[in-house]
Every structure is written in structure tokens, then in C-alpha cells.
């Protein structure tokens, strides 16, 4: 089946620093990737939709200058949390779809646990 | 806006059937999904159903869709301890786009 990886799986950083999270589709080309944030015991909140070669589309309330998304190739999207603060601590999950159109083949990465101290 | 609701918790005995329910508000959804999340992990797509279907069965999983009532359910037959996880329903709304709206999640606990 389609596999999506994320790196790192867990990261601890100091307040004020920036952290980059990678999302890769390992065995398929992903024209669209999504970034979600999940708080403890809560549902997933869509942060942004990333299409290869174009600017990401951010959901309302998500700061695009704080959460930088780059979808440089059909197999890689990155999320950079800039000037991280403790309130940015969360579980970040990406997903990828193999092609355009229907989303019934959306596959999720294993998630990245970010802790900002 | 779109709203997807689930009960928070379900406890069953091993070997029994589990039924997880979900209600949604967006009638334009073309696909509805069930995902499983184990502790500290990402989401695993379990199954999905097209909106013009009433039922879909896949081994131990049965999905029922009542489009009139906007109600979706997932039945797990012969529930095992390995089925313990959080289950999320999701819908793609807005006439079939790629964006998913997730439910609040149901924690399934399987007891011996």
C-alpha cells in the first residue's frame, strides 16, 4: 500500500528556534499534501493544503508566516514552525493523495511530536 | 459549516461486536471514511463508502450510511484487543474536494 513517512518522529526544541518537519510519499507521487495539527485527545485540525509547485492554502486562523510550507517535489512537503513557542507544542500529521480529484486515497504519515520548552 | 460528531468512548468485551456512530451535517459529501489511530501514531485508513451506497462490508468491518439522517456507523465484528484505538470518521464535503473534516474521535477499549 501507499506509505507516507515523516521525519523526525519526535523533536524537542527551545522557545524561539525554528523546526522543520518533513513529509514524504515513499512509493507514489503526491500532487497534494495536507498538514494537520492534533491536540491531546482531540480531533485533527487541518492547517493547510499543499500542492506541488504552488503556494500552500492555509485554513482560517493559521498563520502562514509562522507555519511555512514548501511542497518542492511530488514526494516531499516540509512544514517549518518558525520562532516556536510552547503553545506550538503538538502532534503534527501530514497526509498525501496520489493524484487530483477524489480524496478517497488519502494516506497519513505517522506524525511528529513537537515539544517546545 | 461542516460538523462531524462522535461519541467519545466505547467499551466492549473481546469477541463482541463494536458499533461506532458518527453524525455529520454536510449533505454534499461524496465520500465518508473511517480511520483508526493507535497511541502516538498517525491515522490508518480502514475503509470508506461512497455517498450513494447504503452499506459496505470488508472482512470484519461493516459500514452503514443513512444519508437521509446523515448518520454513519462502523461495525467491527469479533472485536479483538488489537482493535483498541481511537476511531475517526471523516467526510470530504463541499461536493467532493480533497479536504477532509474529521469527527471528534471515539476511543474504543476492548476488555478481556
Amino acid at each position: 500500500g501507499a506509505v507516507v513517512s515523516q521525519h523526525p518522529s519526535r523533536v524537542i526544541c527551545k522557545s524561539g528556534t525554528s523546526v522543520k518537519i518533513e513529509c514524504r510519499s515513499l512509493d507514489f507521487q503526491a500532487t497534494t499534501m495536507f498538514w494537520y495539527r492534533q491536540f491531546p485527545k482531540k480531533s485533527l485540525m487541518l492547517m493547510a493544503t499543499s500542492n506541488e509547485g504552488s503556494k500552500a492554502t492555509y485554513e482560517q486562523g493559521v498563520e502562514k508566516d509562522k507555519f511555512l510550507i514548501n511542497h518542492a517535489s511530488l514526494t516531499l512537503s516540509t512544514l517549518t514552525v518558525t520562532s516556536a513557542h510552547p503553545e506550538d507544542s503538538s502532534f503534527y500529521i501530514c497526509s498525501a493523495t496520489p493524484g487530483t480529484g477524489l480524496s478517497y486515497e488519502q494516506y497519513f504519515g505517522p506524525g511528529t511530536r513537537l515539544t517546545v520548552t | 459549516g461542516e460538523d462531524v460528531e462522535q461519541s467519545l468512548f466505547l467499551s466492549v468485551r473481546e469477541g463482541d461486536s463494536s458499533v461506532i456512530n458518527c453524525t455529520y451535517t454536510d449533505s454534499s459529501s461524496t465520500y465518508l471514511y473511517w480511520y483508526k489511530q493507535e497511541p502516538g501514531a498517525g491515522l490508518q485508513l480502514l475503509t470508506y463508502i461512497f455517498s450513494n451506497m447504503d452499506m459496505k462490508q470488508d472482512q470484519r468491518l461493516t459500514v452503514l450510511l443513512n444519508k437521509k439522517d446523515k448518520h454513519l456507523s462502523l461495525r467491527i465484528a469479533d472485536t479483538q484487543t488489537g482493535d483498541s484505538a481511537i476511531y475517526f470518521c471523516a467526510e470530504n464535503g463541499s461536493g467532493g474536494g480533497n479536504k477532509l473534516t474529521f469527527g471528534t474521535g471515539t476511543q474504543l477499549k476492548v476488555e478481556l
Side-chain angles (χ1 to χ4, degrees):
Chain A
V3 179
V4 176
S5 70
Q6 280 184 243
H7 177 80
S9 58
R10 185 181 292 265
V11 58
I12 301 173
C13 70
K14 292 188 175 180
S15 189
T17 61
S18 294
V19 174
K20 180 185 284 188
I21 302 170
E22 292 185 349
C23 177
R24 291 182 186 272
S25 55
L26 297 186
D27 50 3
F28 65 96
Q29 292 187 326
T31 54
T32 305
M33 288 184 170
F34 302 87
W35 286 96
Y36 296 84
R37 183 173 179 176
Q38 186 180 30
F39 293 98
K41 300 190 186 300
K42 297 289 185 184
S43 188
L44 279 74
M45 181 193 79
L46 179 65
M47 298 174 66
T49 303
S50 163
N51 291 297
E52 185 265 338
S54 61
K55 289 184 178 180
T57 302
Y58 290 81
E59 296 298 301
Q60 193 172 7
V62 178
E63 298 176 61
K64 62 180 180 182
D65 294 330
K66 179 157 185 69
F67 298 100
L68 300 179
I69 291 172
N70 186 355
H71 192 158
S73 77
L74 284 171
T75 60
L76 173 65
S77 177
T78 60
L79 168 68
T80 302
V81 183
T82 62
S83 187
H85 287 94
E87 57 265 31
D88 299 325
S89 298
S90 195
F91 194 53
Y92 292 88
I93 305 176
C94 72
S95 70
T97 56
T100 57
L102 298 172
S103 63
Y104 65 92
E105 293 181 339
Q106 189 169 146
Y107 297 96
F108 284 77
T112 297
R113 172 76 58 194
L114 170 63
T115 304
V116 184
T117 61
Chain B
E2 300 152 1
D3 196 19
V4 185
E5 297 286 338
Q6 298 177 239
S7 53
L8 288 179
F9 191 77
L10 176 66
S11 179
V12 299
R13 284 190 176 178
E14 188 177 41
D16 288 351
S17 292
S18 308
V19 179
I20 302 171
N21 294 301
C22 171
T23 58
Y24 61 98
T25 57
D26 192 336
S27 59
S28 65
S29 301
T30 52
Y31 281 91
L32 297 113
Y33 310 79
W34 283 103
Y35 285 88
K36 176 184 180 183
Q37 185 180 36
E38 297 186 22
L43 272 68
Q44 174 194 354
L45 176 63
L46 290 177
T47 187
Y48 62 91
I49 187 168
F50 190 50
S51 61
N52 68 354
M53 297 168 65
D54 298 324
M55 187 193 83
K56 180 179 179 181
Q57 186 163 2
D58 184 2
Q59 299 182 332
R60 292 192 297 125
L61 304 179
T62 303
V63 179
L64 294 178
L65 175 61
N66 182 328
K67 199 172 181 183
K68 174 177 171 288
D69 295 337
K70 300 190 186 71
H71 183 265
L72 181 73
S73 68
L74 173 69
R75 179 178 181 269
I76 305 173
D78 187 24
T79 313
Q80 302 298 307
T81 54
D83 294 325
S84 293
I86 299 176
Y87 290 80
F88 292 95
C89 63
E91 51 91 8
N92 68 337
S94 301
N98 281 328
K99 288 171 54 173
L100 298 182
T101 299
F102 284 85
T104 47
T106 298
Q107 170 113 41
L108 174 63
K109 182 178 179 183
V110 182
E111 299 174 325
L112 296 173

